[in-house]
Amino acid sequence: MQIAILLGIIIGVLTLLFAGGLTMWVMKQPRGNKKMIEIAKAIQDGAIAYLYRQYKTLSIFVVILAIIIGFCLSWSMAITFVVGVLFSGLAGYIGMNVSVRANIRTAQAAENGLKSAGRIAIRSGAVTGLALVGLGLIGISVLYLIFGNFNVMLGFGFGASLMSLFARVGGGIYTKAADVGADIVGKVEAGIPEDDPRNPAVIADNVGDNVGDCAGMAADLFESFVVTILAAMILGITMGIEFALLPLTIAAVTTIASIIGILCINLTKENRIVKQMYFGLFVAVGLGIVLTFLTTFFITKSPMNVFWAYVVGAIATVLIGIITEYYTDGNYKPVKDIAEASKTGAGTNVIRGLGLGFASTALPMLLVVVAIAVSYALGGFYGIAIASVAMLSFTSLIITLDAYGPITDNAGGIAEMSGMNEKVRKVTDALDSAGNTTKATTKGFAIAGAALGALVLFTAFAEAVGITTINLLNPAVTIGLFIGALLPFVFSSFLMNAVGRAAMQIVEEVRRQFREIKGIMSGKAKPDYAKCVDISTKAAQRELLIPGLIAVLSPIVVGFLFGVEAVGGLLAGSIASGFLLAVMMCTAGGAWDNAKKTIESKGLYGGKGSDVHKAAVVGDTVGDPFKDTAGPALNSLIKVLSTVALIFASVIVTITLGLL
């Protein structure tokens, strides 16, 4: 028992120290000229201002929920809930702070070539992943030392879940409102390039990359990492304390493997950037398997079926990346087909992208099904939990590949706006194009991890309320199943409409500035960037409440009206429906984006500015809220539903018995 807790604390602290060392190294790199510093400062100020307003808005919700948890459950759980919110917010804040300072340094390093710029982008992206994993390991270990109760510690997971939901929803609305608005008026109507300084929405767009893909993804995977470990611990306690603490040990030793994998990433060749990043993943997975074998066999003396369940999860991590890369990388047929479909207009581009998105759900679903079947055969539901922990244990490396994307994207924007030479832009474009693929694959990982993690939470809920089977012939279960399947669609509809409403405001503002501020298009007048930043920020905060209420209240309301078995149906329906919808949205969005990028980078069908390119931009505009708002937010939805159901299980049972 002590070994697991000690490992969690020691490796957690070492991980944070390593992240601190990388941060200091990044901060020592040159920042470039005055113009670059001015642009980077605007992005930095906008991102920090957004996070401040989001945390301020969220704090009211947190206080209310903490009081409810304290009165209905326990004040100890209320404390762990608040700690979960704080740690999740801190992980996102640390990562985003480094990212908005690394973008300018990456742009400046691009003067020296791909290797220098890539090294800064990877190492600064790693800070986000290492910070969240280090905080997660320390949080779980210390809270166990203090409370010694896994059910109380679920509050820590719920706090992380709530922060994940708000970060994903708010950040997603912000980034895509600005991006869509900038593209519609800038690229399609005015015919100016992406990141053109004449576009009033360009700073808001760059800010959005950070609040969505850095802070948002960090909160998302911090929650997955923490909640999956806690759920596995709860399942393991029925088998003995050593099985309860084994998931923490596995996550700790795999973090060492992930750090080594990060250090093995060395970007040197333009046409092999993605493969060189995956080399680091392969190293981490291989080393993680070795370390887990040594841990389970020699230290914890666990049965070997536990180790093989870990291997299943580790292999699934690699395969989900390969599958997603195939559907979203511009070098493969699916994206090339979408680019070709743009020759006959935006309509055929959108149709082809939707078809690809629907088709892309099959392989990930089959992979998850096989992983569930094999891991269950190896160790029952505990085997599934270990496979899930194995996937999430590589979070620090996966987040590195994700956070790298917005850093290089911002670097390209800074290079464009500050008038750096074509050599620099070529380097940043190559890094950014690879970033689009890695962001898509990390979203695939996040979705698969969320599905497996939610299944583990579902199992823990069933044990907590005493459900051994769910009878689909029971009308209450069927009602819950249909409501659960419906929720991801209603949730996604709200987010898509929220992006649309905010984007309309951005479009009108950009058009107004082009119309009223004379000299913008000639470069003689400076646009009012702050106005678009303010519109995106206010829109994101305004739209936060309803998604949060949907996620938190649905299990409680269904339980109150139809009973605990209906809640089981709700969770089953939301996991299946949410997983497939999230895969479809994220894959289609990533493919649309890279189809546009393929036309631009390779000069296909007339290249930039052609009618074919404009059709591809329309497809990318449709895909933006798919892949960066609604799709990723579904991860948070299905996990929040499961976490709320588990935490309030006793309350739901009490209410149900009172109504009988």
Side-chain angles (χ1 to χ4, degrees):
M1 180 179 73
Q2 296 300 325
I3 292 177
I5 300 301
L6 194 61
L7 272 176
I9 294 174
I10 291 174
I11 294 178
V13 170
L14 290 176
T15 301
L16 289 180
L17 289 174
F18 186 62
L22 289 180
T23 301
M24 288 189 289
W25 180 85
V26 170
M27 292 302 106
K28 290 179 181 178
Q29 305 309 307
R31 292 193 298 166
N33 58 44
K34 183 179 178 181
K35 179 66 174 175
M36 294 170 64
I37 294 172
E38 179 186 338
I39 295 166
K41 183 70 163 52
I43 296 170
Q44 179 182 326
D45 290 346
I48 298 301
Y50 169 79
L51 270 195
Y52 172 77
R53 289 175 72 165
Q54 177 173 280
Y55 291 170
K56 185 178 178 181
T57 302
L58 180 60
S59 63
I60 301 170
F61 207 46
V62 169
V63 170
I64 294 172
L65 273 176
I67 294 172
I68 292 172
I69 292 170
F71 277 110
C72 294
L73 298 170
S74 75
W75 290 105
S76 295
M77 184 178 285
I79 292 171
T80 62
F81 165 72
V82 174
V83 173
V85 172
L86 293 175
F87 272 40
S88 179
L90 181 59
Y93 184 82
I94 290 170
M96 200 194 69
N97 255 295
V98 174
S99 295
V100 295
R101 288 168 170 80
N103 50 19
I104 184 174
R105 291 167 170 84
T106 302
Q108 178 60 29
E111 291 271 14
N112 301 321
L114 183 72
K115 185 175 181 179
S116 297
R119 184 185 295 116
I120 293 176
I122 286 292
R123 292 185 179 182
S124 50
V127 173
T128 305
L130 294 169
L132 76 87
V133 168
L135 288 170
L137 290 173
I138 292 170
I140 293 172
S141 303
V142 172
L143 288 176
Y144 180 77
L145 281 178
I146 295 173
F147 297 104
N149 186 315
F150 296 124
N151 289 319
V152 167
M153 290 166 61
L154 274 175
F156 184 64
F158 182 37
S161 296
L162 189 70
M163 176 58 77
S164 165
L165 182 68
F166 277 89
R168 267 302 186 196
V169 170
I173 292 171
Y174 183 110
T175 182
K176 291 304 109 179
D179 194 2
V180 170
D183 282 354
I184 288 175
V185 185
K187 288 185 178 180
V188 178
E189 295 181 5
I192 58 178
E194 187 173 3
D195 297 319
D196 194 297
R198 294 171 292 180
N199 193 326
V202 70
I203 294 295
D205 184 11
N206 280 278
V207 170
D209 291 333
N210 293 285
V211 300
D213 278 320
C214 286
M217 180 62 96
D220 184 358
L221 282 182
F222 177 84
E223 180 247 1
S224 292
F225 180 74
V226 166
V227 168
T228 302
I229 292 173
L230 288 174
M233 286 176 151
I234 290 173
L235 289 180
I237 194 64
T238 59
M239 302 162 63
I241 189 64
E242 65 276 13
F243 288 95
L245 293 176
L246 181 60
L248 178 62
T249 306
I250 288 174
V253 298
T254 305
T255 298
I256 297 173
S258 294
I259 291 174
I260 294 172
I262 291 169
L263 293 175
C264 288
I265 299 174
N266 188 26
L267 308 183
T268 57
K269 296 181 179 179
E270 185 177 323
N271 61 345
R272 293 185 58 82
I273 296 175
V274 174
K275 287 180 172 57
Q276 288 172 335
M277 286 193 279
Y278 283 165
F279 174 72
L281 176 61
F282 296 149
V283 169
V285 168
L287 189 55
I289 290 173
V290 172
L291 291 177
T292 300
F293 172 78
L294 296 175
T295 300
T296 54
F297 189 74
F298 290 108
I299 299 178
T300 62
K301 310 294 183 183
S302 302
M304 286 308 294
N305 62 333
V306 172
F307 164 72
W308 289 115
Y310 173 92
V311 173
V312 170
I315 292 173
T317 301
V318 174
L319 292 179
I320 196 69
I322 293 172
I323 291 169
T324 311
E325 181 191 0
Y326 170 73
Y327 281 112
T328 57
D329 193 305
N331 294 315
Y332 299 110
K333 189 175 184 297
V335 171
K336 290 179 179 178
D337 286 347
I338 295 177
E340 185 179 11
S342 305
K343 292 193 296 184
T344 49
T348 47
N349 170 285
V350 171
I351 291 169
R352 186 64 67 90
L354 288 172
L356 173 103
F358 293 137
S360 71
T361 60
L363 288 178
M365 176 58 85
L366 289 173
L367 175 63
V368 169
V369 167
V370 170
I372 290 171
V374 175
S375 56
Y376 182 81
L378 288 167
F381 285 110
Y382 185 72
I384 297 174
I386 292 298
S388 303
V389 169
M391 282 193 71
L392 273 303
S393 295
F394 295 100
T395 291
S396 56
L397 191 146
I398 297 297
I399 283 288
T400 298
L401 303 184
D402 183 83
Y404 152 94
I407 292 168
T408 55
D409 191 358
N410 273 197
I414 292 170
E416 179 79 31
M417 287 183 277
S418 62
M420 298 180 77
N421 60 54
E422 281 299 316
K423 171 191 169 186
V424 170
R425 191 65 213 233
K426 184 180 179 183
V427 169
T428 59
D429 280 351
L431 292 170
D432 182 30
S433 179
N436 285 330
T437 299
T438 58
K439 282 190 290 185
T441 55
T442 53
K443 285 183 176 71
F445 165 86
I447 295 165
L452 285 174
L455 180 60
V456 176
L457 288 167
F458 177 37
T459 305
F461 167 78
E463 287 195 359
V465 298
I467 296 176
T468 55
T469 58
I470 294 182
N471 182 7
L472 289 177
L473 297 178
N474 181 341
V477 173
T478 305
I479 289 169
L481 187 69
F482 277 113
I483 293 174
L486 170 68
L487 284 177
F489 289 90
V490 173
F491 188 80
S492 299
S493 171
F494 182 87
L495 296 187
M496 294 290 288
N497 286 327
V499 170
R501 287 190 292 269
M504 287 172 63
Q505 291 181 268
I506 295 290
V507 167
E508 291 301 324
E509 174 59 25
V510 174
R511 285 172 176 167
R512 181 195 68 79
Q513 291 196 34
F514 280 157
R515 185 174 61 249
E516 297 179 6
I517 303 177
K518 306 301 180 184
I520 285 184
M521 293 304 293
S522 63
K524 294 179 180 178
K526 184 178 179 181
D528 183 1
Y529 300 123
K531 183 65 177 176
C532 291
V533 170
D534 187 59
I535 290 172
S536 291
T537 302
K538 287 180 177 178
Q541 301 309 306
R542 188 170 58 245
E543 306 283 4
L544 283 175
L545 183 60
I546 293 177
L549 291 175
I550 289 173
V552 173
L553 295 180
S554 293
I556 298 172
V557 171
V558 169
F560 177 78
L561 294 176
F562 304 108
V564 291
E565 289 192 345
V567 177
L570 172 88
L571 299 183
S574 66
I575 292 169
S577 169
F579 172 67
L580 291 172
L581 188 58
V583 170
M584 178 267 163
M585 285 184 161
C586 289
T587 306
W592 270 316
D593 191 353
N594 273 344
K596 177 202 68 177
K597 286 277 196 309
T598 299
I599 292 171
E600 291 174 345
S601 62
K602 297 182 179 179
L604 298 178
Y605 317 121
K608 288 185 181 181
S610 66
D611 288 340
V612 176
H613 178 243
K614 289 180 179 179
V617 170
V618 172
D620 179 41
T621 302
V622 174
D624 273 338
F626 267 39
K627 69 181 175 65
D628 290 326
T629 307
L634 288 173
N635 302 344
S636 301
L637 173 68
I638 62 177
K639 288 178 293 185
V640 170
L641 290 171
S642 300
T643 306
V644 170
L646 180 56
I647 286 178
F648 288 94
S650 60
V651 176
I652 294 171
V653 170
T654 302
I655 291 172
T656 303
L657 292 175
L659 293 175
L660 292 177

